[in-house]
Amino acid sequence: MKSAVAKKFFAYLAKHYPVMCASGAFPLMPPVTDVSKWLDRLDDLSGRSIRSHVAALETFRKNFLAEADKASDPMDEARARALAMNASGVIAELDGSRAWEHAPELYLQVAFTGLEQAADLPAKNERARQKRFISRLKAIPALLTHATENIEAASTASRAASQTMIRECARYLTELGGQELGRTGKAPRFLADVLTALREYDRFVTSRPEIPDPDGPDFRYTAERVLGTTRSVEELRDLAEAEYEARLTSLHRLESEIGGGSWRELYEGYEGPPTDGLAPLDLIIREIHRLRAFVLEGPLAGVFADSGLRIDPQPRHMASTLRPIHHDPVLGAWENEPSRCYVNPQIFSGNRFRDTPAHLARMRREFPFLAAAQTYPGRHLLDSQRRALDDPWLRQSTNPVFMAGWLAFSEHLLDELGYLETDLDRLVRHARGLRRAALARIDTELAVGGLDQDHCMDILERAGFSHEEGLAEVRLIRTAPGHRTMPILGLHELTELRRKWQLDLPLFCKALFAQGQLPLPVIAERPVR
């Protein structure tokens, strides 16, 4: 495969979308090393430019597919198909849901995530850090102006999210004003300019006519471009239903073994693992250290590469857009560069409008799984395997179905290898799996056309969602068809690979990660070494 095309592709992404490509909040955007060269600029979100970028990315995708078709070496073909899938994912991010046309919160997320990156990522010296910080700070008003050009109306949920973010970002700017970065040179003047731009943006968002949440692209578009599967919607629905029934069977078995009520009553009555009086942030940090020791020193010792991980409190302005525990990938641009894990210190007490008592109780009983998903054996471990590859292009390639499947598979590993010590923790694992399967059922059934909203709500409420949570989930599924199917499809494919290869678990994991996050059908076709 011609490496020049891959080099141009990643350089193109780094130049035009450096913020998204350095943030774990945009899983369809690959983590590109050359982003380190563009930490002084924000992403290009003008409507005219996005259309031009989509056309350019489509050309890259077709070039990669052509390279795959004519490749004589199986690895060259696999690499080209992985890169084509990366290009498809970026196109879907920009042109699938087209959030830039109806989601004012997107512009705030890009602007202030970008500002955080400029302030926080490694720099040659403090002067270089200050320079790129000022450059991104100056660029924020122009980025927000693109929203006023691109967005005519917004949904109620989008407006509420944007207004919450505006308040959080204003507080963040005020905090920056008291720090060295915010006091040096012309920074105070530009901070004031951005605060003014935020007030104007608030008026713009408030004045937008309200519309229903727009539907996303057709499910089949996502299946082809993002899931990379040739399975029919009906086949995917059957996988979701089978997983749903399997989880219910496990929950009923545990219900019988534990006694004292239904699985739902047992779940809701369980307060979670002991905290030993630790503050939430310290509790999560302790859990991550336990998970790391279990994965790297336990039954899978010697299997996985590891890299540095920095754990920080979640910045205030990120609280309404990120998971309570969130992982940002390492770019590989600096020596000994760690990936970053952000933890919301209010994970159990709440600081967001959607933090209901039921949601906070769920966080309390499920925090070990949340920590595992973002660190060990989840996203950070995935990130470490990717960065350990010799291939310079696969080191920057990600596969969202591989990732989602591995996160679901890794919960099974915690149970299989003995990390989960009580039946109640095992019940929590299966309750999480049931919720995932229920969401995939709704996702696929809506695509088939076999569900109305009442039936959707019935499935979700039986899986443990409250009525309000169910309504919100149906809305999200309609705006991003196919995405809730990812973990079920990925888990199924990984489970089938394990059955097919007949390897013990350490060898299976080594074989799975040997060539990076290739499309799962490509991995299935490769001989096991």
Side-chain angles (χ1 to χ4, degrees):
M1 193 195 83
K2 295 179 181 177
S3 61
V5 180
K7 183 176 181 179
K8 288 178 181 178
F9 169 66
F10 286 117
Y12 189 93
L13 289 181
K15 180 177 180 180
H16 297 293
Y17 295 99
V19 176
M20 291 185 181
C21 286
S23 171
F26 303 92
L28 300 186
M29 307 293 286
V32 181
T33 301
D34 277 354
V35 160
S36 61
K37 301 175 182 177
W38 301 101
L39 291 174
D40 59 346
R41 66 188 293 168
L42 297 174
D43 295 1
D44 189 352
L45 294 180
S46 73
R48 184 175 180 179
S49 293
I50 287 175
R51 285 183 280 271
S52 173
H53 294 319
V54 168
L57 290 164
E58 186 62 35
T59 299
F60 279 117
R61 187 183 79 90
K62 290 178 179 177
N63 285 341
F64 290 137
L65 289 175
E67 291 282 344
D69 288 341
K70 68 183 182 183
S72 56
D73 179 75
M75 190 58 218
D76 284 344
E77 179 183 354
R79 184 186 299 107
R81 295 204 181 280
L83 292 169
M85 194 169 181
N86 273 252
S88 291
V90 178
I91 294 168
E93 183 74 58
L94 298 175
D95 200 44
S97 64
R98 299 177 72 87
W100 53 276
E101 288 186 326
H102 55 78
E105 65 271 29
L106 170 67
Y107 296 83
L108 294 164
Q109 187 175 11
V110 169
F112 287 89
T113 299
L115 196 60
E116 174 77 18
Q117 291 168 356
D120 188 59
L121 285 173
K124 186 161 107 175
N125 52 51
E126 287 308 305
R127 183 177 178 183
R129 186 186 308 278
Q130 181 72 32
K131 184 177 178 180
R132 73 192 193 195
F133 173 79
I134 290 291
S135 294
R136 282 194 167 176
L137 185 64
K138 285 169 58 178
I140 289 176
L143 179 65
L144 298 182
T145 297
H146 289 320
T148 67
E149 298 164 349
N150 297 338
I151 297 175
E152 295 183 359
S155 69
T156 301
S158 185
R159 174 185 288 179
S162 299
Q163 290 171 328
T164 299
M165 289 183 68
I166 288 168
R167 292 191 294 271
E168 292 172 344
C169 292
R171 286 195 288 267
Y172 173 57
L173 291 172
T174 301
E175 292 172 1
L176 282 173
Q179 299 174 11
E180 186 66 25
L181 270 177
R183 294 196 302 263
T184 304
K186 297 181 180 179
R189 189 185 89 192
F190 293 127
L191 285 170
D193 290 345
V194 176
L195 279 168
T196 299
L198 274 181
R199 286 191 289 270
E200 293 174 355
Y201 198 65
D202 192 19
R203 287 192 287 271
F204 164 75
V205 171
T206 303
S207 68
R208 292 306 86 197
E210 286 194 7
I211 57 171
D213 289 288
D215 288 345
D218 184 80
F219 184 98
R220 290 158 185 82
Y221 172 94
T222 306
E224 177 189 353
R225 293 298 189 101
V226 179
L227 305 186
T229 183
T230 57
R231 293 178 184 270
S232 68
V233 180
E234 289 79 10
E235 288 178 284
L236 295 171
R237 176 197 59 195
D238 292 346
L239 290 181
E241 289 180 349
E243 177 68 7
Y244 185 90
E245 293 302 323
R247 296 297 180 151
L248 268 182
T249 298
S250 295
L251 286 167
H252 289 314
R253 175 180 55 78
L254 285 165
E255 169 187 293
S256 175
E257 292 174 358
I258 296 170
S262 68
W263 72 263
R264 182 85 178 260
E265 291 168 336
L266 291 168
Y267 174 84
E268 293 176 352
Y270 179 45
E271 294 184 354
T275 66
D276 298 329
L278 293 175
L281 180 59
D282 293 331
L283 181 66
I284 301 301
I285 291 173
R286 183 182 72 174
E287 192 69 27
I288 291 171
H289 283 296
R290 284 178 172 175
L291 286 161
R292 182 183 185 278
F294 180 80
V295 171
L296 298 181
E297 300 169 15
L300 297 177
V303 171
F304 297 109
D306 191 24
S307 57
L309 175 65
R310 202 180 86 190
I311 307 170
D312 288 325
Q314 195 174 77
R316 185 197 301 270
H317 62 287
M318 294 182 176
S320 62
T321 59
L322 299 183
R323 309 172 189 88
I325 305 175
H326 171 81
H327 177 264
D328 272 348
V330 64
L331 300 176
W334 301 277
E335 187 177 0
N336 299 321
E337 173 198 359
S339 60
R340 292 149 288 149
C341 180
Y342 295 111
V343 179
N344 187 339
Q346 286 80 45
I347 184 173
F348 304 142
S349 57
N351 62 351
R352 303 178 295 182
F353 63 89
R354 60 179 176 270
D355 287 335
T356 63
H359 175 80
L360 295 172
R362 183 180 294 157
M363 295 297 100
R364 174 66 183 79
R365 66 177 70 94
E366 295 188 10
F367 76 84
F369 297 96
L370 302 179
Q374 298 303 312
T375 59
Y376 302 90
R379 290 182 184 274
H380 174 67
L381 200 68
L382 276 171
D383 202 42
S384 297
Q385 309 326 296
R386 175 180 58 79
R387 291 307 310 166
L389 294 171
D390 292 330
D391 189 294
W393 313 125
L394 293 179
R395 275 207 305 268
Q396 300 174 81
S397 296
T398 54
N399 176 349
V401 177
F402 187 112
M403 293 169 66
W406 175 258
L407 296 189
F409 185 80
S410 65
E411 288 191 6
H412 171 74
L413 294 187
L414 294 180
D415 194 357
E416 178 182 339
L417 298 178
Y419 188 79
L420 305 182
E421 297 179 347
T422 71
D423 281 342
L424 283 171
D425 287 324
R426 296 182 187 95
L427 185 139
V428 168
R429 173 174 93 81
H430 289 293
R432 285 172 56 81
L434 183 68
R435 293 203 307 271
R436 274 195 303 267
L439 292 172
R441 283 188 65 185
I442 304 303
D443 197 5
T444 52
E445 286 280 12
L446 287 174
V448 171
L451 283 186
D452 57 25
Q453 181 142 309
D454 288 342
H455 194 180
C456 289
M457 296 303 298
D458 180 59
I459 291 172
L460 293 176
E461 289 177 20
R462 282 192 286 121
F465 291 96
S466 69
H467 185 75
E468 293 73 19
E469 287 174 327
L471 288 172
E473 291 293 350
V474 172
R475 185 176 66 245
L476 289 172
I477 287 169
R478 290 186 183 278
T479 60
H483 287 253
R484 294 300 197 180
T485 304
M486 280 186 201
I488 301 304
L489 174 61
L491 175 61
H492 174 79
E493 300 290 4
L494 292 181
T495 303
E496 283 298 296
L497 278 177
R498 188 179 184 188
R499 181 190 61 79
K500 175 184 174 183
W501 289 351
Q502 293 291 301
L503 298 173
D504 63 25
L505 185 58
L507 287 177
F508 170 76
C509 292
K510 283 188 176 183
L512 180 64
F513 287 101
Q515 304 297 338
Q517 295 178 32
L518 300 174
L520 289 172
V522 173
I523 295 177
E525 293 171 1
R526 292 179 59 78
V528 180
R529 297 177 182 175

